Amino acid sequence: QKEVEQDPGPLSVPEGAIVSLNCTYSNSAFQYFMWYRQYSRKGPELLMYTYSSGNKEDGRFTAQVDKSSKYISLFIRDSQPSDSATYLCAMMSRGGTYKYIFGTGTRLKVLA
Amino acid sequence: DADVTQTPRNRITKTGKRIMLECSQTKGHDRMYWYRQDPGLGLRLIYYSFDVKDINKGEISDGYSVSRQAQAKFSLSLESAIPNQTALYFCATSDNPGDYGYTFGSGTRLTVV
């Protein structure tokens, strides 16, 4: 079993839809949770990060962490064609063994 | 100029050849990383360096070596390239200790024939 699981998609939605992207994980030592966006032929860029459980909002993006269920989500409101990209979750543990693991990414297509 | 620059952007090489991928950064970060990305497998860590004198193996270091020439430069070598090293390679940097986000380069697409 992988430490981080992410549905690869592709996920196609119409412009303006609310998008929900998710990751599950198995290692309870993870404390920091990140979302990256990767456009074709580019490197991933950090979108949001959250420490421990709870929600964090930034414009149209909301990151949610549920440590009890080992489940994280990224919501995109009013999705735009420019949001079409691959979204990768990532998780980090500190203290003891340093570990930073990426999910395999979910490909999102927002249709105009 | 990009914060993290990788060269070359694309490379085709033959089996058995030695090849070096280079990475330089202007972020002033101490930590640098090399990843490879394959479809369905995501990003996997090859090597990482927390400062100039510190080099650590990642999960898939066999067949690779690295050199940290300066705080800003971190190169990855394939001593004898093989076809299953065909992949997209990314260099990344991060600050210590408060920055949990990585800054990635644009990647090198390597094909070994």
Side-chain angles (χ1 to χ4, degrees):
Chain A
Q1 184 194 6
K2 289 183 185 177
E3 281 190 281
V4 178
E5 300 272 4
Q6 187 174 9
D7 189 325
L11 180 62
S12 291
V13 301
E15 183 176 355
I18 297 174
V19 176
S20 171
L21 304 166
N22 311 294
C23 287
T24 59
Y25 64 97
S26 57
N27 188 342
S28 57
F30 289 133
Q31 301 166 291
Y32 301 90
F33 304 91
M34 283 65 66
W35 285 96
Y36 286 80
R37 178 175 59 197
Q38 184 177 17
Y39 291 115
S40 182
R41 298 291 284 148
K42 297 284 188 184
E45 56 176 335
L46 180 70
L47 208 50
M48 297 185 73
Y49 85 85
T50 313
Y51 172 67
S52 195
S53 283
N55 292 0
K56 188 172 184 178
E57 193 173 314
D58 184 2
R60 296 185 295 112
F61 298 89
T62 299
Q64 200 170 73
V65 175
D66 181 349
K67 290 191 76 179
S68 61
S69 302
K70 296 191 177 69
Y71 189 86
I72 71 169
S73 300
L74 177 71
F75 298 97
I76 307 175
R77 288 184 299 282
D78 187 25
S79 56
Q80 303 295 310
S82 59
D83 294 326
S84 298
T86 297
Y87 290 81
L88 299 93
C89 63
M91 307 180 186
M92 186 176 88
S93 62
R94 297 192 72 181
T97 304
Y98 174 87
K99 194 174 256 194
Y100 198 115
I101 306 288
F102 287 87
T104 51
T106 299
R107 197 151 50 97
L108 171 68
K109 202 173 222 184
V110 181
L111 306 169
Chain B
D1 285 347
D3 292 327
V4 180
T5 301
Q6 290 185 237
T7 55
R9 283 299 313 271
N10 295 281
R11 180 76 182 264
I12 300 174
T13 192
K14 292 185 176 180
T15 297
K17 292 289 188 184
R18 184 179 188 274
I19 181 167
M20 181 183 286
L21 309 183
E22 299 190 344
C23 176
S24 63
Q25 53 118 343
T26 57
K27 298 282 286 184
H29 289 167
D30 286 326
R31 299 183 170 197
M32 298 187 74
Y33 311 83
W34 276 104
Y35 282 88
R36 65 177 279 176
Q37 188 174 42
D38 300 274
L41 297 177
L43 285 161
R44 291 182 293 164
L45 183 62
I46 305 171
Y47 271 95
Y48 63 102
S49 168
F50 282 177
D51 65 43
V52 175
K53 295 178 183 173
D54 175 75
I55 302 285
N56 303 280
K57 292 183 178 180
E59 61 180 297
I60 54 162
S61 58
D62 287 349
Y64 301 94
S65 63
V66 290
S67 172
R68 184 82 185 265
Q69 298 96 325
Q71 187 206 34
K73 293 184 183 298
F74 192 36
S75 59
L76 175 72
S77 293
L78 286 68
E79 297 300 326
S80 179
I82 57 176
N84 78 357
Q85 291 177 313
T86 293
L88 195 50
Y89 288 85
F90 286 104
C91 174
T93 74
S94 70
D95 204 355
N96 174 40
D99 182 353
Y100 308 110
Y102 286 8
T103 301
F104 283 84
S106 292
T108 294
R109 184 168 294 280
L110 177 66
T111 304
V112 183
V113 298

